[in-house]
């Protein structure tokens, strides 16, 4: 019985130590989330307006200027950018992103993958580890981008997609990332990055947006397109960054609650075992005293 009590005590101490770690990790993630959330919430309206403007320009320009980044070609070579995290302990965050990426390759680009024409550009250590170990064609240049996250670093990663598309190394570029909603909710997205998608406003079919171009239209568009696309890429990275911290904070909160539940059950078990040991000792004492008196 004493051995059982010692085992339960050791388990209680172990879970208490784990609970302290999960509480600390939750607090750290909450602090990081606050900064990451502020960054994406300030960035998102600006990026969305730029994206809307870019799609309007592409949709309303009928061949009067050359737009290499909007060229629709037969898709032979594909680049898929997968934005994961560097560390784990964030629930199913990374596994859901990787699952979506593999599903996209299997369902959307099966023919290209069979020919070896699908390349993965992982941003984040977890995606890099998975796709490298599983034999995918991987561009390993920017997997550690989150260790020095900045607009310039993200711009360099986006340049791989932009330059590759213009040179014909890729015919399509997709981004897979997690869109931040709130601390407990992330939405896993597959987004077409290149070629730039054309959209039609259903309520305004046949009507063109009225833009005044200064300087010349072709010069301005050629200058704006890469900058807007860099901004879109940066927004996706910031979304993923905030989503990671939200997922980790939620996971650590649940882990702390689960540890508390385990502690309550173990303390009940410990008290029952202790009570049983005391009862057994009392029974032995009473039995011994009765034997002496008898």
């Amino acid at each position: 019985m004493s051995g059982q009590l010692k085992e339960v005590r050791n388990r209680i101490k172990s879970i208490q130590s784990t609970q302290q770690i999960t509480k600390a990790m939750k607090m750290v993630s909450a602090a990081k989330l606050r900064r990451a959330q502020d960054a994406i919430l300030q960035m998102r309206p600006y990026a969305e307006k730029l994206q809307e403007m870019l799609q309007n320009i592409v949709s309303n320009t009928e061949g009067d200027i050359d737009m290499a980044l909007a060229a629709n070609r037969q898709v032979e070579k594909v680049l898929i950018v997968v934005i994961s995290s560097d560390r784990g302990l964030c629930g199913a965050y990374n596994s859901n992103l990787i699952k979506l990426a593999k599903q996209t390759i299997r369902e959307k680009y099966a023919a290209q993958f069979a020919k070896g024409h699908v390349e993965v550009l992982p941003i984040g250590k977890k995606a890099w580890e998975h796709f490298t170990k599983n034999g995918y064609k991987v561009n390993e240049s920017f997997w550690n981008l989150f260790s020095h996250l900045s607009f310039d670093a993200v711009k360099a990663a986006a340049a791989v997609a932009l330059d590759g598309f213009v040179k014909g190394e890729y015919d399509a570029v997709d981004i897979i990332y997690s869109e931040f909603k709130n601390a407990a909710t992330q939405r896993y997205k597959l987004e077409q990055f290149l070629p730039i998608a054309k959209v039609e406003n259903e309520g305004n079919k046949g009507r063109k947006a009225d833009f005044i171009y200064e300087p010349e239209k072709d010069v301005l568009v050629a200058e704006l397109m890469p900058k807007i696309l860099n901004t879109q890429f940066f927004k996706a990275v910031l979304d993923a960054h905030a989503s990671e911290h939200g997922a980790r904070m939620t996971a650590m909160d649940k882990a702390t609650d689960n540890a508390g539940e385990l502690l309550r059950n173990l303390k009940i078990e410990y008290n029952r075992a202790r009570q049983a040991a005391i009862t057994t000792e009392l029974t032995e004492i009473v039995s011994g005293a009765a034997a002496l008196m008898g």
Side-chain angles (χ1 to χ4, degrees):
M1 187 64 71
S2 61
Q4 182 182 355
L5 287 172
K6 184 178 179 181
E7 180 183 350
V8 175
R9 279 199 301 269
N10 289 338
R11 288 183 64 190
I12 289 174
K13 289 180 181 178
S14 175
I15 293 173
Q16 285 175 336
S17 299
T18 302
Q19 190 180 45
Q20 289 177 349
I21 294 171
T22 56
K23 280 182 178 179
M25 292 186 68
K26 176 189 172 183
M27 292 174 65
V28 171
S29 293
K32 291 182 177 179
L33 172 64
R34 195 171 297 112
R35 293 193 295 270
Q37 181 177 347
D38 289 343
I40 184 57
L41 291 181
Q42 291 173 17
M43 176 74 172
R44 186 175 288 157
Y46 173 71
E48 288 177 350
K49 194 64 180 178
L50 283 178
Q51 178 73 0
E52 179 186 341
M53 183 177 72
L54 179 62
Q55 289 181 333
N56 274 326
I57 292 173
V58 172
S59 302
N60 295 321
T61 301
E62 299 177 353
D64 51 345
I65 60 172
D66 181 29
M67 294 187 294
L69 293 172
N72 283 292
R73 305 190 289 261
Q74 183 176 352
V75 178
E76 295 291 340
K77 299 177 182 179
V78 180
L79 178 68
I80 297 180
V81 182
V82 184
I83 308 176
S84 70
S85 69
D86 283 341
R87 297 182 295 120
L89 297 177
C90 47
Y93 174 77
N94 289 306
S95 60
N96 284 335
L97 286 167
I98 292 170
K99 180 180 178 182
L100 177 57
K102 294 172 75 173
Q103 180 183 350
T104 301
I105 294 172
R106 186 172 60 251
E107 296 179 358
K108 188 177 179 181
Y109 299 118
Q112 292 84 350
F113 181 71
K115 297 177 183 178
H117 293 166
V118 174
E119 183 176 334
V120 178
L121 175 62
I123 295 177
K125 185 178 179 181
K126 292 300 179 180
W128 171 70
E129 286 179 342
H130 178 86
F131 288 106
T132 302
K133 289 178 181 177
N134 286 276
Y136 288 80
K137 185 179 179 181
V138 175
N139 184 320
E140 303 186 27
S141 303
F142 299 98
W143 66 266
N144 61 343
L145 188 146
F146 283 115
S147 63
H148 50 278
L149 180 59
S150 66
F151 182 78
D152 289 337
V154 174
K155 182 180 177 182
V160 173
L162 297 175
D163 294 343
F165 186 83
V166 171
K167 294 175 182 177
E169 296 173 4
Y170 311 116
D171 300 310
V173 180
D174 289 346
I175 302 179
I176 292 174
Y177 68 102
S178 177
E179 184 180 42
F180 178 79
K181 293 297 184 183
N182 53 56
T185 307
Q186 301 85 37
R187 188 160 69 96
Y188 302 98
K189 291 188 67 175
L190 166 64
E191 191 172 279
Q192 178 180 319
F193 185 62
L194 292 171
I196 300 169
K198 295 183 179 181
V199 294
E200 289 186 0
N201 295 323
E202 295 183 359
N204 296 310
K205 285 186 178 180
R207 295 174 59 188
K208 293 186 177 183
D210 185 17
F211 289 106
I212 298 174
Y213 295 93
E214 179 65 35
E216 294 299 323
K217 186 176 186 178
D218 54 347
V219 176
L220 186 63
V221 171
E223 182 74 18
L224 276 179
M225 272 190 177
K227 292 185 177 181
I228 295 176
L229 288 169
N230 287 333
T231 303
Q232 300 309 311
F233 203 98
F234 189 50
K235 181 188 80 71
V237 172
L238 290 183
D239 256 318
H241 192 50
S243 296
E244 173 197 349
H245 293 306
R248 183 171 293 110
M249 189 186 78
T250 302
M252 291 301 99
D253 183 50
K254 291 181 179 178
T256 302
D257 292 342
N258 290 339
E261 184 65 27
L262 279 173
L263 283 174
R264 284 191 290 273
N265 294 334
L266 283 174
K267 286 178 180 179
I268 292 172
E269 182 181 342
Y270 176 79
N271 290 333
R272 286 175 178 171
R274 184 168 174 271
Q275 187 63 45
I278 293 172
T279 302
T280 301
E281 289 177 5
L282 287 174
T283 302
E284 290 174 352
I285 293 172
V286 172
S287 298
L292 290 174
M293 291 177 62

